[in-house]
């Protein structure tokens, strides 16, 4: 059998149980909806980042295409690489590239395979070592042509004032008319854009824009590195644990918010999500025992036919602010409960006090002090009825005893 407990303890226990159940229910609902809010906020961040990256790519495309459209009208562009009149072309190319440090080079490919290129040496620090260029080199002019000694690649190193510093030559098998950018340009009457590929001199990925020069068979092109895109993706990170990557259909990373090797692949989950056509949906998976929110979206209309954007962030990072709110809610509930304890004790006292008075009235009846039994003062209707019943019973007993005397 259970040990008897006082009415005060009984009421207090029931009160705590009810409050506890309500608090647990409310906190459970808050956890559920907070989780949904966290996932919704994560998805919105991913979508907003994708939109900003798309806008950047569109702006970059417009810049590159407009530059080629305007440059093709320059006179003497189609001169052979060895023609001395190319100095004006060098100056025009240099002015164009000074406006954008992410343009690696501008060049012209000829239908016979000859090649003329102006390289922006500020586009990458490794170029001086690659080309064996003097330290003061600002522009490198590369000419590939046939000579009596065979096919030659000639390097002319110039300073910022376009003054020749030195020249060197080496043998070459390179033919511009066999390159993908040249062949793609021949198949279109508009500016074409290649898929991202690795620039061998830079060991960085980039994109080539090319078009056939109007009224000729030569192709004008420029190379744009993806370093600015890497920087942009890094700027889109809204937490150190987040990652934004641009990747191809094979999973190879094109650009990333984090440093990566040229042949690095994205994680298997994002590849599987793409294969299962789970694009533009917020997904959740485990990595190294930690929950991760992720999403994959396609940028096919913006950069190439099979280019995608992937996002990932630790789920705990996004849930933390909402869990903190739940913790504060729980703490507030406990404080509120503690603050209501005096009210509970006061309320139970208003119930217990008249009951104790009734018990004293009962002791008076036992002692046959019938004249001392009086109604109790209380606002509780049930106790008032019980008191009246006790007084009535007392009068009945007293009348009975007087009748027997």
């Amino acid at each position: 059998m259970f040990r008897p407990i006082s009415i005060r303890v009984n009421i207090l226990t029931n009160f705590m149980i009810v409050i506890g159940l309500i608090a647990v229910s409310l906190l459970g609902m808050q956890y559920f909806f907070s989780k949904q809010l966290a996932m919704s906020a994560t998805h919105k961040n991913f979508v907003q980042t994708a939109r900003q990256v798309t806008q950047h790519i569109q702006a970059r495309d417009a810049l590159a295409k407009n530059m080629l459209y305007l440059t093709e009208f320059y006179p003497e562009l189609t001169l052979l690489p060895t023609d001395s009149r190319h100095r004006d072309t060098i100056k025009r190319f240099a002015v164009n590239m000074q406006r954008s440090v992410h343009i690696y080079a501008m060049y012209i490919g000829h239908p016979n395979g000859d090649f003329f290129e102006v390289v922006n040496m500020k586009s990458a620090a490794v170029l001086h070592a690659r080309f064996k260029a003097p330290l003061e080199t600002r522009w490198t002019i590369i000419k590939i042509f046939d000579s009596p000694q065979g096919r030659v690649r000639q390097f002319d190193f110039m300073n910022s004032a376009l003054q020749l510093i030195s020249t060197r030559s080496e043998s070459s098998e390179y033919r511009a008319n066999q390159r993908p950018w040249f062949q793609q340009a021949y198949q279109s009457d508009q500016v074409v854009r290649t898929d991202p590929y690795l620039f061998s001199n830079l060991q960085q990925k980039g994109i080539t824009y090319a078009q056939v020069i109007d009224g000729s068979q030569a192709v004008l092109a420029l190379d744009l590195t993806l370093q600015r895109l890497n920087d942009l993706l890094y700027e889109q990170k809204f937490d150190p644990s987040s990652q934004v990557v641009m990747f191809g259909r094979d999973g190879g990373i094109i650009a990333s918010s984090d440093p990566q090797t040229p042949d690095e692949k994205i994680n298997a989950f994002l590849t599987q999500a793409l294969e299962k056509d789970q694009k533009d949906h917020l997904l959740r998976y485990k990595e190294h025992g930690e929950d991760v929110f992720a999403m994959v979206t396609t940028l096919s209309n913006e950069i190439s036919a099979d280019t995608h954007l992937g996002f990932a962030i630790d789920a705990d990072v996004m849930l933390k602010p909402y869990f903190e709110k739940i913790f504060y809610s729980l703490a507030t509930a406990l404080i509120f409960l503690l603050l209501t304890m005096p009210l509970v004790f006061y309320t139970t006292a208003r119930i217990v006090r008249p009951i104790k008075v009734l018990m004293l009235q009962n002791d008076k009846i036992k002692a046959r002090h019938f004249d001392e039994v009086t109604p109790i003062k209380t606002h509780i209707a049930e106790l008032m009825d019980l008191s009246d019943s006790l007084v009535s019973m007392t009068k009945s007993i007293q009348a009975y005893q007087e009748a027997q005397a």
Side-chain angles (χ1 to χ4, degrees):
M1 294 294 292
F2 291 109
R3 182 178 179 181
I5 58 176
S6 67
I7 190 170
R8 173 174 290 178
V9 173
N10 190 288
I11 292 174
L12 185 60
T13 302
N14 290 335
F15 176 80
M16 295 288 289
I17 291 174
V18 171
I19 294 297
L21 290 174
I22 293 174
V24 169
S25 300
L26 291 176
L27 290 174
M29 291 175 64
Q30 186 174 0
Y31 171 80
F32 174 79
F33 289 114
S34 295
K35 183 178 177 181
Q36 297 301 312
L37 285 173
M39 295 178 69
S40 176
T42 304
H43 185 261
K44 287 181 180 178
N45 278 325
F46 288 166
V47 170
Q48 182 178 3
T49 300
R51 187 180 299 114
Q52 292 175 342
V53 172
T54 298
Q55 291 172 349
H56 169 80
I57 295 173
Q58 289 174 334
R60 184 197 59 193
D61 277 5
L63 173 65
K65 291 177 180 179
N66 289 336
M67 188 174 293
L68 290 182
Y69 284 137
L70 295 174
T71 304
E72 73 165 325
F73 295 109
Y74 292 163
E76 303 172 347
L77 279 183
T78 57
L79 295 174
L80 293 176
T82 53
D83 197 304
S84 61
R85 290 174 292 174
H86 262 310
R87 183 169 181 81
D88 287 340
T89 300
I90 295 172
K91 183 176 181 180
R92 292 175 182 127
F93 281 7
V95 170
N96 285 337
M97 287 186 283
Q98 282 177 330
R99 297 170 182 168
S100 177
V101 296
H102 298 293
I103 296 180
Y104 157 57
M106 293 187 71
Y107 47 90
I108 303 166
H110 295 270
N112 65 351
D114 287 356
F115 185 72
F116 178 86
E117 180 179 35
V118 179
V119 178
N120 180 6
M121 298 297 284
K122 283 190 175 181
S123 61
V126 300
L127 288 176
H128 284 78
R130 294 278 182 185
F131 295 153
K132 301 176 183 178
L135 291 178
E136 63 269 30
T137 302
R138 177 65 179 86
W139 307 100
T140 297
I141 316 305
I142 301 175
K143 306 171 185 177
I144 302 177
F145 55 91
D146 290 321
S147 72
Q149 293 77 31
R151 194 153 183 81
V152 174
R153 185 196 310 262
Q154 178 179 312
F155 297 88
D156 293 341
F157 304 111
M158 294 184 169
N159 61 21
S160 58
L162 296 180
Q163 297 172 335
L164 184 64
I165 301 171
S166 63
T167 298
R168 73 176 184 86
S169 299
E170 62 185 25
S171 61
S172 175
E173 298 297 328
Y174 183 93
R175 290 193 175 275
N177 56 0
Q178 296 177 358
R179 303 303 298 168
W181 55 266
F182 190 98
Q183 296 171 358
Q184 283 183 240
Y186 255 68
Q187 297 171 4
S188 174
D189 58 356
Q190 303 289 328
V191 175
V192 298
R193 177 185 54 213
T194 67
D195 288 343
Y197 65 97
L198 186 67
F199 292 163
S200 58
N201 288 328
L202 297 178
Q203 287 301 299
Q204 292 181 16
K205 288 186 176 180
I207 295 171
T208 296
Y209 294 82
Q211 75 170 123
V212 176
I213 298 174
D214 189 35
S216 76
Q217 294 182 313
V219 173
L220 173 66
L222 65 83
D223 287 342
L224 197 67
T225 66
L226 295 180
Q227 183 56 46
R228 177 66 189 100
L229 190 55
N230 288 331
D231 296 340
L232 176 70
L233 297 185
Y234 178 80
E235 292 167 4
Q236 302 308 309
K237 294 180 63 167
F238 45 91
D239 184 83
S241 71
S242 64
Q243 184 183 27
V244 187
V245 293
M246 182 181 290
F247 61 97
R249 180 173 54 183
D250 62 350
I253 293 178
I254 297 169
S256 173
S257 58
D258 300 323
Q260 82 282 339
T261 58
D263 58 348
E264 187 175 345
K265 303 286 185 179
I266 60 169
N267 65 58
F269 180 83
L270 293 179
T271 303
Q272 293 172 3
L274 189 62
E275 292 173 350
K276 296 177 181 178
D277 198 27
Q278 295 177 322
K279 293 177 290 189
D280 301 317
H281 296 291
L282 188 66
L283 308 172
R284 191 170 184 171
Y285 70 98
K286 281 191 175 293
E287 185 175 52
H288 307 304
E290 301 291 335
D291 284 341
V292 178
F293 287 144
M295 190 183 85
V296 176
T297 189
T298 300
L299 296 177
S300 59
N301 294 329
E302 309 301 337
I303 187 166
S304 70
D306 295 299
T307 304
H308 312 278
L309 206 59
F311 306 88
I313 187 171
D314 290 346
D316 289 344
V317 171
M318 297 304 298
L319 292 173
K320 182 180 178 180
Y322 300 95
F323 285 164
E324 288 179 351
K325 290 182 180 180
I326 294 175
F327 173 78
Y328 292 142
S329 297
L330 179 60
T332 301
L334 290 175
I335 293 173
F336 175 77
L337 190 61
L338 292 175
L339 293 176
T340 57
M341 292 297 290
L343 179 62
V344 173
F345 279 107
Y346 173 74
T347 304
T348 54
R350 296 188 64 187
I351 298 174
V352 172
R353 192 178 300 111
I355 292 176
K356 289 184 176 180
V357 173
L358 283 174
M359 293 172 63
L360 290 175
Q361 299 296 324
N362 192 51
D363 290 340
K364 292 178 182 178
I365 295 173
K366 286 182 180 180
R368 298 182 183 278
H369 300 158
F370 300 123
D371 294 335
E372 297 178 7
V373 177
T374 59
I376 63 172
K377 295 180 180 180
T378 180
H379 296 289
I380 302 175
E382 288 80 1
L383 294 181
M384 289 179 62
D385 293 340
L386 181 60
S387 176
D388 291 342
S389 175
L390 190 64
V391 171
S392 177
M393 181 185 69
T394 301
K395 290 181 178 179
S396 297
I397 295 174
Q398 185 178 16
Y400 176 76
Q401 285 189 344
E402 289 176 353
Q404 293 294 322

